Amino acid sequence: MGPPGAGKGTQAKYIAEHFGIPAISTGDIFRANVSDGTPLGVEAKRYMDAGEYVPDEVTNRMVRNRIDEPDAAEGFLLDGYPRTLAQVEELDGMIKFTGHQLDAVLSLVVDKDEVVSRLLQRAQIEGRADDTEDVIRRRQEVYLDQTEPLIQVYKERSLLVEVDGLGEVEEVTKRIFDALDVVPES
Ligand code: ADP
């Protein structure tokens, strides 16, 4: 977890690689559907371009299908999901059904101004449609309103692992591995 621009996607790849599990990014799946022009992509694009969340039932169905894939049988890392309280409940139901359990909820703690400037920089490099200044602001608001409360929920479940997300990518990865008590291979 972490606000837009916290570096979730970047760190997710390293963690998933370490554990030999897929990193499942809802944002990436949505973007792939948008570029393929699928019905899901057409629907999701309207919300994404405005910085709003895609409706829960659409997102939930997509995650449910994804974690049913064979490569996720032994475990998976979710990046960008759950993002609403309804998604938390839905995820609980899904993994109860598949027989998985949550080992940890990792929260990348970052400074708000710093992440906005990261996102503006990324906008120039990657040209993501939702990386314009107005949309970035809206995404931050939506995060604070709908997703930040989830941190408390997972704290109460004793699953929350908070890591300082500021600094070099490798430095943050090291903090994550330390916090998760894993020894990186390289
Ligand atoms: P960010 O950099 O904002 O974390 P992501 O790539 O994770 O971006 O997500 C991009 C967009 O995809 C979000 O702004 C939202 O519209 C949509 N999205 C991703 N995950 C979810 C989710 N769990 N629920 C609803 N919408 C989502």
Side-chain angles (χ1 to χ4, degrees):
M1 297 186 59
K8 297 186 295 289
T10 305
Q11 299 298 337
K13 290 191 185 73
Y14 295 123
I15 301 166
E17 201 174 300
H18 175 84
F19 288 105
I21 53 174
I24 300 174
S25 157
T26 43
D28 283 352
I29 302 175
F30 283 134
R31 278 186 289 279
N33 277 276
V34 170
S35 50
D36 292 347
T38 69
L40 173 67
V42 171
E43 158 122 53
K45 188 175 178 359
R46 291 193 282 145
Y47 299 96
M48 295 170 75
D49 285 355
E52 305 294 336
Y53 286 166
V54 176
D56 282 335
E57 65 274 16
V58 176
T59 310
N60 288 336
R61 199 180 337 123
M62 188 179 82
V63 173
R64 185 182 291 278
N65 290 336
R66 179 63 188 87
I67 67 173
D68 257 347
E69 301 270 324
D71 68 334
E74 299 299 318
F76 47 83
L77 173 80
L78 293 168
D79 161 17
Y81 184 93
R83 266 180 152 119
T84 64
L85 285 168
Q87 292 179 12
V88 169
E89 281 175 28
E90 193 71 20
L91 177 62
D92 288 340
M94 280 182 218
I95 63 177
K96 195 168 173 199
F97 183 78
T98 57
H100 291 102
Q101 62 178 40
L102 291 179
D103 294 316
V105 174
L106 186 68
S107 168
L108 287 178
V109 182
V110 290
D111 176 79
K112 219 172 145 210
D113 296 333
E114 166 74 23
V115 292
V116 172
S117 81
R118 277 191 197 176
L119 287 174
L120 288 170
Q121 224 178 333
R122 183 172 77 185
Q124 290 179 338
I125 302 164
E126 292 180 17
R128 258 176 59 167
D130 60 351
D131 274 347
T132 65
E133 199 162 350
D134 284 351
V135 178
I136 288 170
R137 276 225 178 83
R138 182 63 194 143
R139 280 158 61 208
Q140 300 284 352
E141 275 172 20
V142 173
Y143 174 82
L144 286 178
D145 181 45
Q146 301 202 44
T147 306
E148 207 175 54
L150 272 52
I151 290 184
Q152 190 56 32
V153 170
Y154 286 122
K155 195 179 258 177
E156 281 162 17
R157 293 193 194 178
S158 305
L159 286 171
L160 193 70
V161 178
E162 286 185 293
V163 170
D164 177 4
L166 284 185
E168 297 294 317
V169 170
E170 300 78 38
E171 184 57 35
V172 176
T173 309
K174 192 180 171 308
R175 284 182 210 139
I176 292 173
F177 283 173
D178 284 348
L180 292 176
D181 249 347
V182 301
V183 184
E185 279 113 52
S186 58

